[in-house]
Amino acid sequence: MIRTVCEHDTQAITNIYNHYILNSVATFETNVITSADMAQRIEQVQNAGFPWFVAHNAQGDVIGYAYANTWKARLAYRFTVEITVYVDQSCAQKGTGSKLYSALFAQLRESDIRTVIGCITLPNIASERLHEKFAMEKVGHFKDVGFKFDQWLDVGFWQGTLK
């Protein structure tokens, strides 16, 4: 099930994200964050008027999340957002990311947002396919812009138009 994030989801979201910090190049953050850090991030997204959704299983456990956030601070970018999705490793590639993006895109289509941008550490075939499933296309590739786990990493940008 997909629903809007609640305050009591913060620790579960933090746990999911910290797994990626410690074990993946999907995020370029290198230090784990606290639940308070995540609560601030959720609040910032919500205060900006953007959606943040969580997926939960039948037991009510949060198994993933997706949100939209400001792409750039300049006013001319106000109709463009960066989108993000993370799924608990136990649920990876079982459709949770697609369900989250479906809810996120539906909400964004009802707003003034016209363009969505996804940033993907490359290679990441699963994430690339997820973004392309939502009619996003690769529009940029930056080589060796991140350094994590003793390796240089590339980043690709996927763009989609909602309207």
Side-chain angles (χ1 to χ4, degrees):
M1 299 212 31
I2 307 297
R3 61 172 170 74
T4 300
V5 68
C6 297
E7 186 176 331
H8 68 270
D9 299 324
T10 305
Q11 187 58 58
I13 292 169
T14 304
N15 293 344
I16 291 169
Y17 188 58
N18 280 337
H19 170 83
Y20 284 93
I21 292 172
L22 293 172
N23 301 291
S24 169
V25 295
T27 176
F28 282 1
E29 288 199 65
T30 56
N31 297 317
V32 296
I33 64 168
T34 66
S35 185
D37 295 330
M38 186 58 76
Q40 281 185 315
R41 294 176 187 196
I42 294 168
E43 182 179 12
Q44 182 273 322
V45 167
Q46 291 178 321
N47 287 344
F50 297 123
W52 188 308
F53 292 105
V54 297
H56 63 88
N57 61 20
Q59 295 75 37
D61 301 319
V62 173
I63 57 172
Y65 64 94
Y67 63 93
N69 205 356
T70 303
W71 166 242
K72 297 281 185 182
R74 308 265 190 305
L75 185 61
Y77 291 115
R78 69 189 175 278
F79 303 109
T80 301
V81 293
E82 182 174 359
I83 55 173
T84 302
V85 63
Y86 284 96
V87 175
D88 185 275
Q89 287 302 293
S90 66
C91 302
Q93 299 195 15
K94 295 182 180 175
T96 304
S98 291
K99 291 174 186 170
L100 284 161
Y101 264 4
S102 289
L104 186 65
F105 277 55
Q107 182 78 33
L108 292 171
R109 281 189 182 95
E110 293 179 15
S111 72
D112 291 337
I113 298 303
R114 181 176 191 277
T115 305
V116 293
I117 296 175
C119 178
I120 304 172
T121 306
L122 301 174
N124 184 335
I125 299 301
S127 189
E128 293 172 39
R129 287 184 179 153
L130 173 64
H131 288 79
E132 289 166 1
K133 178 179 179 177
F134 286 86
M136 297 179 72
E137 64 178 326
K138 186 176 182 184
V139 294
H141 187 129
F142 296 100
K143 294 180 182 269
D144 297 337
V145 294
F147 189 78
K148 186 174 179 182
F149 301 140
D150 295 322
Q151 61 182 323
W152 287 103
L153 301 163
D154 293 1
V155 170
F157 286 91
W158 270 251
Q159 179 178 339
T161 302
L162 300 177
K163 300 175 182 184

